[in-house]
Amino acid sequence: MGASSSSQERQVPEPEDLGQFRKNAGIRIGDTYLIPEIPAKRKVTDFKFTVVFGICLIILVPFLIYTFVQSDLDRFIHGYDKCGNICGEKNSRVGDVSCSGQDKTYQPFLRLIKNEHAYSDDDQLFIRDECVRECGSGYVELFNRCFPSKSNDSPRVNRDMETTFADIGRDINKSAGYIVLMCLLGLVFTVGMLFLFRYFVAVVVWVILIGSLLGIIALAIIFWVLNSREATGPNAASAQFFAIFFTILAVILTIVLICMFKRIKLIIRLFKEAIKVIFGIPIIVFEPLLTFVASSIVLIIFVYFLIVMSTAGVLQKTFFDVYEYTPNVAILFTMFFHIVICLWMWQFIIGCQHMVISGAVSSYYFARDKSSLVSPVYTSFYNLIRYHLGSVIFGSLIITVIAIVRALIRGLVNNKSARILVDCCLGAIEDFLKFLSKNAYILTAMHGQPFFKSGKRAVRLLAANALSTIALNSVGDFVLAMSKILIVVATILVGCLMADPTIEHFWAAILISAIVTAIVADCFFAVFETAIDTIFLCFCEDSCMNDGTERPYYMSVNLMQYVEEAKKATNNKN
């Protein structure tokens, strides 16, 4: 009876699960099974999705060429008049449009007039009129366009805006050294936070959790006091809303801390192990730099191509004597397909980062002698490029499809409440798929199996360790998010203390420093988060494969103590 109860309360799958997994992988029982699998025994996974991705790129290329032929970036920069003539240029005649092909070299500004069919006087819909030498009175110049002014003060307001932007630019230029110093300080704070996690992880975790709970309770009390003072005032509804919101948040966080108290111990131990890996393989922290560069290139390509494609079209009469470059079906398809491919590539780059980091971390975890490891990051990167690109493409395609479906449904729904419902439902599904995909990448990096098999294996491991999984993905993510916020806030506070009072727009330099610090902290903690998730699944696999006696654990003494404590607690219950 006791054995039966013990079996039902185990937190890890039975060893037969791994044996079945090995059998499906084509590995005989007597073979030595290494984790992570060595490159020599790996096979190319999900290659058909690599082919699908290549075919999509091949399909996109001719449509891109056609769209670029039909586009002209000067239409976006300088604008064109009601006959399709680009302002500031000598134009060629287009088809049978008799008024096209005029020389507008000395008329660089496009004058816009209010749409006669506008619904109201405040409606900001304009139609193209003609190219002019200068805007003149009654118009305001902005981006080579002449907009009709609402009052005589508009030109002065426009000049004031230009002067303000120029002053901000000069102040940013003066603060260049200050911005660099603040960014370096943000880097120091980020590394310092990692050192705090290394030496005082338990203290840091509990300080963040309890401090956040006390802060939320304090905010709830403040808003309840404000609500009682302004029971009938204009801000009563807002005060009551925030008071209820922070009260509910405080109750939820309290319940989570009480229910997950024992699991937080495992989170602390996993944090310690992740920090050991980061300091044991320090080159791993530079991997997000490659991700950042690749993501930046994709973003630049996406924005540039989208701007160029927005100018593409065939010159057609829209109403009366006004001609516009209207995109046809081929151009619209190109724009949509371009967005899909870029979103797919974005998710693919993120998936590659998860795969490389998890492969290196699992190598570190399952190494008896940590000092004998040779280039685990390079080996993991080689495995990705040589064997598992198809699996990452498959996983990123799933996330891309659900994101596109969510955007399309949201665009087709006009009701605001229905849009919120779509965002909540499909957003939750998208986040869940990202979570499963990340864990599937980790299992693929470990065992070298295809995406679907690894995902199924990951689901079984996570389900068997459901409470620990929930704790890790709620409390753990909350601690890491608060750590990044503290780094940014600390940088802003120090930046305010060190700001030069003679510079009027010093806030612009502080804002730039805060944004760069947030990006740096996110890059470092992305490695930390992936390392924690990988070590957790390695811990589950280790507990499944080995028993600590005949088959020794790979886990450290730190995690082994947690396993022994869990076993004692289970035996006491039985």
Side-chain angles (χ1 to χ4, degrees), residues 527-567:
V527 179
F528 194 26
E529 291 172 13
T530 307
I532 291 170
D533 293 336
T534 304
I535 289 172
F536 177 64
L537 284 176
C538 289
F539 168 73
C540 295
E541 288 284 30
D542 195 12
S543 301
C544 177
M545 287 171 51
N546 305 303
D547 55 11
T549 54
E550 296 180 358
R551 298 186 300 275
Y553 289 125
Y554 284 91
M555 66 184 72
S556 65
V557 176
N558 177 37
L559 287 175
M560 209 175 297
Q561 289 174 349
Y562 175 82
V563 173
E564 294 301 325
E565 291 172 3
K567 285 182 178 180

Side-chain angles (χ1 to χ4, degrees), residues 30-46:
D31 290 348
T32 301
Y33 191 68
L34 300 176
I35 301 180
E37 183 63 276
I38 60 175
K41 291 186 178 181
R42 290 178 184 260
K43 296 180 181 178
V44 177
T45 57
D46 300 304

Side-chain angles (χ1 to χ4, degrees), residues 289-302:
L289 294 178
L290 296 177
T291 303
F292 177 75
V293 171
S295 301
S296 300
I297 292 173
V298 170
L299 181 61
I300 292 170
I301 292 173
F302 170 74

Side-chain angles (χ1 to χ4, degrees), residues 311-354:
T311 67
V314 180
L315 193 62
Q316 295 179 348
K317 182 182 287 188
T318 54
F319 56 91
F320 300 111
D321 59 343
V322 177
Y323 289 83
E324 289 190 355
Y325 285 96
T326 306
N328 53 26
V329 176
I331 295 172
L332 292 174
F333 171 78
T334 306
M335 295 178 67
F336 174 76
F337 205 35
H338 166 71
I339 294 173
V340 172
I341 293 295
C342 285
L343 182 59
W344 192 356
M345 292 181 67
W346 185 285
Q347 296 296 334
F348 170 75
I349 291 169
I350 296 173
C352 288
Q353 173 177 293
H354 294 327

